[in-house]
Amino acid sequence: MVEIRTKTPIKTPFKVPFKIIQEGSDFLTDILFPRRCPVCGDIVLPKGNLICPGCMAKLSWVRRPVCKKCGKEVLDETIEYCRDCARHKRSFDYGLSLINYDDTASRSMARIKYNNRREYLDFYSEAMVRKMGKRIRSMDGDALIPVPVHPSRLRERGFNQAEELARRLSGPLGIPVNTSVLKRERKTAPQKNLDSSGRLKNLEQAFTAAALPSAMQKVILVDDIYTTGSTIEACARVLRKAGAEHVYFVTIFIGHGQ
């Protein structure tokens, strides 16, 4: 009796296209960690948005006229500088901010810093690029320098919100982030109960800056909030001493002008 053998095809594992895997992963992430609105904190709908459509109007967007130095809103076009900038010499060239710092902004920022809602910065950075990108690029900055936090605070919080913001801005703006030049060497007392002169005194010698390379003469400081300007001023002073010819700044929020 002759045994007849037939060749059977070798079965190969079914390959799932990468796009399907990625979409499945994104779907699972959306279920387990749905994006939340930076204003109300609820799950954002429709899916794909970075903020609830109705919450956009709850933010107090900075509108012109503004102070020519710090960018705070002023009453009318005849006013060149806010009261703080008119009274104090500034070491920075000028700055730009997106939203006035009110109760709504304060709650949103607190969730970012103390509840690890870093994803809120996706919305704020996208809005900064969309609304201020052209003006930021016109600064012609060689580097985005996030305002550093003290190492002990970085360990407690796990991240620096200014650096997180800077890294989100870097790609769309085409400006590299530098975190090696500017350092915070001294932990300062809380700033919220101090006036502008008290805040600046509190920050003296808190920051240090290494000598800037010749290719880094124009720098853009990045921070979350500008209130009296003491932090930005302290950073600008040490960067000027380190060799910066021009120092600008950008922030999400800014205190109201006077």
Side-chain angles (χ1 to χ4, degrees):
M1 183 175 181
V2 179
E3 182 179 358
I4 300 175
R5 296 186 180 184
T6 59
K7 291 185 178 180
T8 56
I10 298 174
K11 294 182 178 180
T12 57
F14 176 69
K15 293 183 179 180
V16 180
F18 176 75
K19 184 178 180 181
I20 294 177
I21 295 174
Q22 187 177 39
E23 289 175 351
S25 176
D26 292 342
F27 176 74
L28 186 60
T29 300
D30 288 341
I31 292 176
L32 296 176
F33 307 103
R35 182 173 290 278
R36 293 190 174 272
C37 174
V39 173
C40 69
D42 291 339
I43 295 173
V44 177
L45 292 173
K47 178 188 168 184
N49 284 10
L50 299 178
I51 187 173
C52 297
C55 286
M56 287 283 285
K58 296 178 182 178
L59 293 168
S60 176
W61 303 91
V62 172
R63 300 184 185 280
R64 296 182 181 183
V66 297
C67 172
K68 292 182 178 180
K69 189 60 95 169
C70 73
K72 286 183 180 179
E73 288 184 353
V74 292
L75 292 177
D76 60 65
E77 295 283 357
T78 64
I79 301 172
E80 288 190 313
Y81 303 107
C82 69
R83 188 174 69 177
D84 282 343
C85 289
R87 293 170 57 191
H88 304 291
K89 181 176 173 60
R90 301 301 197 187
S91 299
F92 53 83
D93 290 67
Y94 65 88
L96 301 170
S97 298
L98 184 70
I99 297 166
N100 292 307
Y101 192 60
D102 55 13
D103 289 342
T104 300
S106 176
R107 287 191 296 271
S108 181
M109 198 65 239
R111 293 190 193 107
I112 292 172
K113 291 199 286 189
Y114 307 120
N115 297 107
N116 197 15
R117 289 294 184 183
R118 279 178 273 185
E119 70 270 22
Y120 291 1
L121 295 173
D122 294 343
F123 164 71
Y124 290 122
S125 61
E126 189 275 337
M128 289 175 75
V129 172
R130 179 164 40 85
K131 291 179 175 290
M132 308 190 314
K134 186 176 180 179
R135 286 178 289 164
I136 297 174
R137 291 187 188 95
S138 71
M139 294 173 176
D140 197 25
D142 300 311
L144 298 172
I145 298 183
V147 172
V149 296
H150 190 268
S152 63
R153 185 157 294 168
L154 184 61
R155 287 192 297 270
E156 292 170 6
R157 193 174 296 164
F159 66 97
N160 173 9
Q161 68 278 359
E163 182 177 344
E164 293 279 338
L165 176 62
R167 295 201 180 282
R168 286 165 169 79
L169 294 172
S170 177
L173 294 175
I175 307 172
V177 176
N178 184 296
T179 59
S180 62
V181 168
L182 186 64
K183 301 293 182 183
R184 191 164 193 151
E185 302 289 352
R186 194 180 73 178
K187 191 174 183 179
T188 54
Q191 298 271 77
K192 61 182 179 180
N193 295 322
L194 301 174
D195 59 16
S196 58
S197 60
R199 290 185 178 207
L200 188 55
K201 185 176 180 180
N202 188 37
L203 288 166
E204 285 178 354
Q205 300 178 348
F207 297 99
T208 60
L212 271 62
S214 58
M216 195 186 298
Q217 299 302 304
K218 298 178 182 178
V219 297
I220 304 173
L221 285 163
V222 179
D223 207 1
D224 51 349
I225 307 168
Y226 179 105
T227 49
T228 64
S230 302
T231 299
I232 295 293
E233 174 62 24
C235 291
R237 287 183 183 184
V238 297
L239 287 169
R240 289 277 194 183
K241 290 178 182 178
E245 292 183 6
H246 297 279
V247 180
Y248 309 95
F249 76 84
V250 293
T251 67
I252 303 171
F253 304 114
I254 191 165
H256 288 282
Q258 298 179 17

